[in-house]
Every structure is written in C-alpha cells, then in structure tokens.
Amino acid sequence: MKEFVISEVKAESAILVGLITETQNEAKTKEYLDELEFLADTAGAVTVKRFTQKVNGPSAVTYVGKGKLEEIKAYIEQCEDNEEPIGMVIFDDELSAKQIRNIENELKVKILDRTSLILDIFAMRAQTANAKTQVELAQYRYMLPRLQRLWTHLERQGGGSGSGGGKGSVGLRGPGETQLEMDRRIILQRITLLKQRLQEIDKQKTTQRKNRGRMIRVALVGYTNVGKSTIMNLLAKSEVFAENKLFATLDTTVRKVVVDNLPFLLADTVGFIRKLPTDLVDSFKSTLDEVREADLLVHVVDISHPDFEEQIRVVDNTLKELGCSDKPSMIIFNKIDNYHWIEKEKDDLTPATKENIPLEELERTWMARLNDNCLFISAKTKCNIETFRKTLYIRVRELHVQKYPYNDFLYPAME
C-alpha cells in the first residue's frame, strides 16, 4: 500500500522597505513597517528583513537611492547563495509603473507596494459576489496606469544590427503599442462592466435597506483588527467570522439585535487602514453605504495598540471623506484586557510617554474629553459588556423616539 507524504507549503520570504523623511520620522516609519509586516503575514508571507533610508522624499526612479537599492540587491543575492531565496520585496508606499519596472530590473524578484498587497488580501478575503466585484474593479483601476511594464519584454528583443535598432526600430515598437492599447481597451471595457454591475448591486442593496422596517441602524466602524466582528457576535449572538488578521471582514454583515425588547439593526463594516487606496474606497461604495445610512456610528478602538490615537484620526478622516463625520457617534475602547503600561522610575525625569500612562488615567482623560461619550470594554473577556448594552439601548432609544415618535410608548426608558 502506498504511503502519501503531505509536504508543507513554505511561505514566501519578504523584505520590507520604507522611508524616513521630514514628515515621517523614524518612530512613525517603524509603526508603518510593523503594520506592513502584519499585512504581509495576513497575505501569507514571512518578513525576514527590513530596510529603511533617510531621504527628503522618494526617488521618482527607484523609490530609494541607488546605494540603498544595491544594498537590498546584495542581501537578496546572499540569501540566494544560502538557498533561502527572497520571494518578494514590499514597499510601504504606492509605486509608479516606472519605479516598479526599474526596481524589478535591478532586484530580479517580485515587487509589491502597499496598495497591491492590500488588494491581494482583499481578493483573498472576498467571499460574496458583491465583494469580489468590488475587489476586481479596484484591481483593474490599479493595473491600468501600470500596463506599460507588462510589455517591457518587447524592448529586449530589439537593438541588434539585423533589427534596425535605435531610432529606426519603429516596426518593433508598433506591435507593442498596439497590444498595449488593446489591453487598455479590454480593461476599460471591463471596468465599465464592473461599474454597471455594482450599480445594479447598489439598487438591490438600497431596496433591501428600505425593506428593513422602522428600525434604527447602528454601524460598527473602526480601524482594521480592533474587534468589531467580536463585538458583533456578542451583541447579535451571531457567528460573524473574526480572527486576529487584518481585513477579516470585507462584506458588511447586518443583524437584527434586541436589547430589552428594543430592536435595531447592527452592521459590521470593513475596517479602515492608513494609506487605504482611494480606488478601494471608491470600489467599496456599496459596502460603505451602510455607514452612510446609519443613524448611529459606534467607533471601535483598540486601546492596547501603541498608536491607537493615530488610528482614531485615520478613521475620522475616512468618515469625513464619506460625508459621515456629523453623524451621532460614540467611541468604544476595546481590548482593555490587553492594555499594558510601564511605571516610570521615581528618579526618571524624562517626559512621560503613552507607554507610561495607566489605563485609569486614560479613561479619565478620554471621558473628560468626550463628555462621557465613550466606554472601555473587553469583548474577549466580556468586561463592561452589560454597561455597553445599556448605553447602546439609551442611545438607540433616543434616536428611535426622534425618528418614530409615535412608537415612544413601546420602548420605555431603561431603569
């Protein structure tokens, strides 16, 4: 009898590259690369090395300087010699077609930027026809201005004495240009088709939302991986997919929730992230319509994340772009069970940092700033969940009475 040996698929090794500039200091670059590494891990790659460079701004030719590119190349060749090949190099900013082409020619490995990595993750996570259509549209929009690099192989075929190289290589250039235009036309036609398909989805979704009855709509919003789906599962007693990965949720999930006989609709939405591609926001319009049409936004924040204040700003800015910044909202600081701080030594006279602030002090500061319009909970340990339910009931009831005043007698104030 034959024995079948199942070989383990080895994850691709990745190098991360970021810049330290006047507007992005070393600490900020480290935070961005930490997030980029988490993105790479979510996509199934293992980060083995990071490269950073202090510059005024990215090079229009190769993103990093010539010396840094040679340093990265030497490391890749060294790994190749040690039979530990590098599968890809990921850059923390969006690259132009010219930059990608030049870097690929030098490093001879797969080149990704932050945007293409996020698109890969979205393509991997998309489950429904709606999400798949939105991801495909964003991918084509990203691909369109970068088509030129797909035809660089044609350039390598010319230049010899028999081909009439130099300025006389018109015959060689023509077919490449023609094929490029054909591809561009095909992609533009596909983009038009996908837009039409999304318009049909928008109409269906709008009809579905109109048929949901007279109930207040609440949307969970926030940075990716802050625990929105876990909170959704707690409140709705549902089984929404949740894991410690970025963009675990792509499709908006809507559930009917009842707290003390008061029904309302709760939506779990796609998480936001720094440097979120504009094309992705545009493509996910129908998904984000749940945010636009919500009566109440519950902004979930991971209090244990060292840069949670920056994440709050990213979400606030994205909501502003969506035209939702003036909606009633409340902030839920989640993961208090994972919050850690370091008490300063008595003789340490250096200024305190956010790592030195106890949770109780953070609570007082934010509650004073937001007029008690925030709560500190742990969805994992269910700490303060009942207080959260009660607060949510009060807020939903207030909005319900305003919107449907004749139903006031049905939902008395919670004692």
Side-chain angles (χ1 to χ4, degrees), residues 280-331:
L280 213 49
V281 176
D282 291 342
S283 298
F284 271 71
K285 178 186 174 298
S286 62
T287 296
L288 294 170
D289 274 345
E290 291 289 351
V291 178
R292 290 189 183 93
E293 296 191 15
D295 299 295
L296 174 66
L297 301 180
V298 177
H299 183 172
V300 183
V301 178
D302 178 1
I303 191 69
S304 68
H305 194 284
D307 204 25
F308 74 89
E309 290 179 316
E310 169 69 13
Q311 292 186 350
I312 290 174
R313 282 192 288 272
V314 169
V315 174
D316 285 344
N317 289 337
T318 308
L319 290 174
K320 193 177 294 182
E321 289 174 16
L322 294 171
C324 303
S325 56
D326 58 344
K327 283 184 177 291
S329 63
M330 59 189 295
I331 288 188

Side-chain angles (χ1 to χ4, degrees), residues 35 38-39 42 121 125 224-225 244-248 273:
E35 187 170 83
F38 201 178
L39 283 165
T42 300
I121 294 169
R125 295 288 190 183
T224 182
N225 201 44
N244 187 31
K245 295 280 186 182
L246 300 181
F247 303 115
I273 196 169

Side-chain angles (χ1 to χ4, degrees), residues 215-231:
M215 284 189 278
I216 294 299
R217 300 174 189 173
V218 179
L220 296 171
V221 298
Y223 211 77
T224 182
N225 201 44
V226 294
K228 297 187 299 297
S229 296
T230 306
I231 291 173

Side-chain angles (χ1 to χ4, degrees), residues 34 77 151 258 336 342 393 401 406:
D34 285 345
E77 290 173 348
W151 293 99
V258 180
I336 59 173
I342 304 169
Y393 177 94
V401 170
Y406 56 86

Side-chain angles (χ1 to χ4, degrees), residues 177-233:
E177 296 259 345
T178 304
Q179 184 64 57
L180 190 65
E181 289 306 315
M182 283 173 61
D183 284 355
R184 194 184 302 277
R185 230 179 356 259
I186 290 168
I187 288 180
L188 286 171
Q189 288 170 357
R190 186 67 182 162
I191 286 175
T192 302
L193 179 65
L194 291 169
K195 283 181 177 178
Q196 289 172 352
R197 195 175 294 170
L198 284 176
Q199 284 176 354
E200 292 170 7
I201 292 172
D202 281 346
K203 289 178 183 176
Q204 293 170 3
K205 295 278 185 183
T206 303
T207 304
Q208 287 173 7
R209 284 192 286 268
K210 285 179 180 177
N211 293 336
R212 284 176 186 165
R214 297 181 180 277
M215 284 189 278
I216 294 299
R217 300 174 189 173
V218 179
L220 296 171
V221 298
Y223 211 77
T224 182
N225 201 44
V226 294
K228 297 187 299 297
S229 296
T230 306
I231 291 173
M232 175 81 162
N233 288 336

Side-chain angles (χ1 to χ4, degrees), residues 25-153:
N25 60 27
E26 191 170 349
K28 184 66 66 180
T29 299
K30 181 185 180 301
E31 288 171 6
Y32 283 178
L33 289 180
D34 285 345
E35 187 170 83
L36 191 65
E37 182 170 345
F38 201 178
L39 283 165
D41 176 64
T42 300
V46 176
T47 300
V48 295
K49 182 76 173 176
R50 295 181 179 188
F51 287 91
T52 58
Q53 184 178 30
K54 288 185 179 179
V55 288
N56 292 329
S59 161
V61 181
T62 53
Y63 184 74
V64 293
K66 185 179 178 183
K68 182 60 67 173
L69 198 63
E70 288 175 354
E71 186 184 337
I72 297 170
K73 182 180 180 181
Y75 180 81
I76 291 172
E77 290 173 348
Q78 178 189 331
C79 290
E80 191 74 38
D81 292 340
N82 295 334
E83 296 185 353
E84 296 176 350
I86 299 299
M88 66 189 82
V89 180
I90 308 171
F91 291 77
D92 191 43
D93 292 293
E94 192 167 307
L95 300 175
S96 67
K98 179 182 178 181
Q99 287 172 322
I100 294 173
R101 183 171 63 249
N102 291 334
I103 296 168
E104 277 182 344
N105 288 339
E106 189 68 25
L107 301 184
K108 312 296 184 189
V109 295
K110 182 165 57 180
I111 303 301
L112 295 177
D113 58 17
R114 189 182 184 93
T115 300
S116 59
L117 182 61
I118 291 174
L119 286 171
D120 280 351
I121 294 169
F122 269 55
M124 182 174 64
R125 295 288 190 183
Q127 297 295 325
T128 65
N130 185 17
K132 288 176 182 177
T133 304
Q134 292 175 117
V135 172
E136 189 180 351
L137 176 58
Q139 286 175 322
Y140 278 127
R141 281 174 162 169
Y142 173 82
M143 192 189 302
L144 191 60
R146 293 166 178 80
L147 270 180
Q148 183 69 46
R149 77 184 184 97
L150 300 177
W151 293 99
T152 52
H153 66 280

Side-chain angles (χ1 to χ4, degrees), residues 162-174:
S163 65
K167 292 182 181 178
S169 303
V170 178
L172 176 66
R173 188 169 61 251

